[in-house]
Amino acid sequence: MNKLDAIRHTASCADATEPGLLSVEQAEQQIFDLLRPLRCIQRVDIRSALGRTLADDVHSTINVPPHVNSAMDGYAIRAADIPTDGTTQLTLAGSALAGTPFTGRVKTGQCVRIMTGAKLPDGCDTVIMQEQAEVEADCIRIDARHRAGENVRQAGEDLLLGQTALPAGKRLQAADLGLLASMGMGEVNVTRSLRVAFFSTGDELRSVGSQLAEGEIYDSNRYSLHGMLQRQDVELIDMGVIADHPDALKAAFENAAQIADVIITTGGVSVGDADYVKTMVAELGEVNFWKLAIKPGRPMAFGTLGDALFFGLPGNPVAVMVTFYQFVQPALRYLLGQKELRPFRFQVNCASAIRKRPGRTEYQRGQLGIAADGRLQVSLTGAQGSGILSSMSAANCFIVLAADQGSIAAGDPVTVEPFEGLF
Ligand code: AMP
Ligand code: MG
């Protein structure tokens, strides 16, 4: 064991299983019982709609594409003119370009030079690729290998007039902006972004840019939280570091409850002498303090302060991220009216052996990658203590080990949940 590993090994905290811990499922249930989706609608330009949540179903007001058109550069013909065997000659009657249709009607024995996206001339129903036609002066010659209707895109084949193009609750992605534009819609109704106020608690915390005195550490939680929140449909209200002092905490909570839909704090929810968050929020609102059967992230508080929801996350940096992804992120998405609340979970072989005792749901930090045989696999990213942010930084997924699960041997399948990308 090298020096760094030795330090980390001895630093990780003891893991006695206690009775009376709340399971992940029970905690989720209690959270969701209290949530009501926000019903506040804004109309925004589609260019500002990325990552926002669609407030209503969007129905297509036109057919997309609006007209039958060519999928190829070639020649528009009547299917009835395709020879049953041998070849046939068709006379060129004109040309159709994207945006400049052929205006006449194509008769038997005629064809029209056509470009991709051009409206199919009246009378035509089939397009011959130019590579499959022999051009002879003002005629073309085609053989019998063609199929009626080939290389033609039907009107409405992407979106039919009146159909639901996008469902309410969808988190808009780049393709959705394009889809809205393809129907001619420049604006869209979305739910108002959630206002989320957050602060760190702890006398030992200093913000980046200041010098550390003895016994102090830099506040990292507020920055991880900033990053996680920024990827949600959220207006961030960063309230800085609040000291472990009842008056300071009270003022911060009262202020936050006035301006935010959701308040998130880190630290101060365990049973230490300076854990004033508990006493303060208990005085100001309806809050439950949980000891969760999860690792990392055992203590957590949840409830309401006035009209605002409150999540009191643990202090340890990895525990903050685990509890955010597990409990806060799905709740934020639900409040916004989204339907896809959680990332995909799937099974993959684990290259590392993992020691685990039954009792708590564990979120080990994993790196999904490609094994030598070309298959997806996951490996542990290193020391798994709840204060070891570097192993979270090296990770792209959680390896989720169910409460009743024991140790994992290298090569065993495990459940993973990616937390960057994919959702
Ligand atoms: P607490 O729950 O307040 O007792 O904090 C548990 C552990 O997390 C302590 O070691 C704290 O110093 C640490 N911690 C709390 N808040 C932060 C923070 N914002 N950034 C980094 N570490 C923190
Ligand atoms: Mg503290």
Side-chain angles (χ1 to χ4, degrees):
M1 201 183 280
N2 66 30
K3 195 172 167 195
L4 189 58
D5 284 340
I7 293 169
R8 286 171 173 171
H9 194 73
T10 48
S12 57
C13 56
D15 173 28
T17 44
E18 293 172 39
L21 297 181
L22 198 68
S23 72
V24 170
E25 295 73 23
Q26 288 167 323
E28 281 173 335
Q29 186 66 49
Q30 291 198 31
I31 291 170
F32 276 88
D33 282 351
L34 214 67
L35 301 182
R36 298 288 171 270
L38 198 79
R39 295 239 173 264
C40 197
I41 295 175
Q42 274 180 334
R43 195 153 178 82
V44 296
D45 185 289
I46 55 172
R47 278 171 291 209
S48 317
L50 188 70
R52 303 293 300 271
T53 311
L54 202 59
D56 320 305
D57 288 345
V58 173
H59 299 284
S60 184
T61 48
I62 59 169
N63 280 321
V64 181
H67 46 263
V68 182
N69 69 95
S70 178
M72 291 285 176
D73 293 338
Y75 299 92
I77 66 160
R78 303 165 70 101
D81 285 341
I82 298 170
T84 43
D85 61 306
T87 64
T88 197
Q89 201 184 48
L90 302 170
T91 310
L92 271 164
S95 66
L97 305 177
T100 310
F102 176 80
T103 46
R105 187 171 174 83
V106 175
K107 301 186 203 67
T108 304
Q110 290 186 326
C111 67
V112 164
R113 175 83 174 122
I114 194 163
M115 297 299 146
T116 306
K119 179 173 179 293
L120 220 66
D122 288 344
C124 295
D125 52 17
T126 300
V127 170
I128 307 297
M129 279 171 70
Q130 63 185 23
E131 294 81 356
Q132 295 175 353
E134 252 176 68
V135 185
E136 303 168 348
D138 60 348
C139 295
I140 64 163
R141 180 166 292 283
I142 61 170
D143 58 26
R145 64 183 142 157
H146 302 288
R147 191 172 40 80
E150 72 184 14
N151 303 322
V152 169
R153 301 168 179 155
Q154 297 303 321
E157 74 174 21
D158 188 355
L159 295 170
L160 266 186
L161 171 68
Q163 87 167 74
T164 306
L166 292 169
K170 180 150 204 259
R171 182 166 196 227
L172 294 170
Q173 55 187 31
D176 301 326
L177 308 192
L179 199 73
L180 289 162
S182 78
M183 296 179 281
M185 297 177 185
E187 294 183 335
V188 66
N189 287 345
V190 296
T191 50
R192 171 172 74 67
S193 300
L194 283 176
R195 297 191 189 106
V196 180
F198 57 106
F199 54 88
S200 300
T201 70
D203 284 342
E204 75 280 31
L205 303 176
R206 289 288 163 269
S207 293
V208 295
S210 48
Q211 290 293 319
L212 294 184
E214 197 167 318
E216 295 178 343
I217 60 170
Y218 285 114
D219 171 10
S220 62
N221 288 344
R222 202 153 46 88
Y223 301 88
S224 312
L225 260 183
H226 199 282
M228 293 187 292
L229 285 168
Q230 225 172 5
R231 297 174 64 231
Q232 304 302 315
D233 185 357
V234 153
E235 206 181 290
L236 287 87
I237 308 167
D238 183 341
M239 296 178 62
V241 175
I242 307 294
D244 290 317
H245 189 281
D247 293 344
L249 283 166
K250 183 165 190 230
F253 277 118
E254 282 174 344
N255 183 14
Q258 294 292 318
I259 55 178
D261 304 302
V262 178
I263 303 166
I264 304 173
T265 63
T266 64
V269 287
S270 44
V271 288
D273 291 345
D275 292 331
Y276 295 114
V277 168
K278 290 180 78 164
T279 38
M280 237 37 264
V281 290
E283 200 176 294
L284 297 172
E286 303 277 323
V287 179
N288 288 310
F289 299 93
W290 295 333
K291 276 191 182 171
L292 298 172
I294 75 171
K295 188 181 172 185
R298 196 158 40 161
M300 190 177 135
F302 172 70
T304 52
L305 297 178
D307 291 334
L309 277 177
F310 168 64
F311 290 91
L313 305 185
N316 281 306
V318 181
V320 168
M321 297 192 75
V322 166
T323 50
F324 180 90
Y325 282 126
Q326 183 60 46
F327 301 110
V328 184
Q329 182 168 279
L332 297 179
R333 291 178 173 190
Y334 185 83
L335 292 172
L336 286 160
Q338 293 178 13
K339 306 285 188 289
E340 283 177 22
L341 304 180
R342 293 190 172 76
F344 301 124
R345 283 185 178 182
F346 52 92
Q347 295 255 315
V348 56
N349 285 344
C350 187
S352 322
I354 305 178
R355 281 174 47 196
K356 179 182 184 300
R357 271 189 280 168
R360 298 205 246 161
T361 305
E362 291 196 13
Y363 298 82
Q364 303 249 350
R365 274 67 75 200
Q367 173 79 51
L368 275 168
I370 307 298
D373 64 1
R375 288 174 207 259
L376 198 60
Q377 69 168 16
V378 68
S379 29
L380 280 182
T381 57
Q384 296 288 315
S386 66
I388 310 279
L389 199 51
S390 52
S391 63
M392 185 71 190
S393 159
N396 57 13
C397 71
F398 290 120
I399 301 171
V400 185
L401 304 173
D404 55 8
Q405 168 92 51
S407 291
I408 300 286
D412 280 357
V414 289
T415 299
V416 295
E417 180 179 297
F419 51 71
E420 294 280 344
L422 261 188
F423 64 98

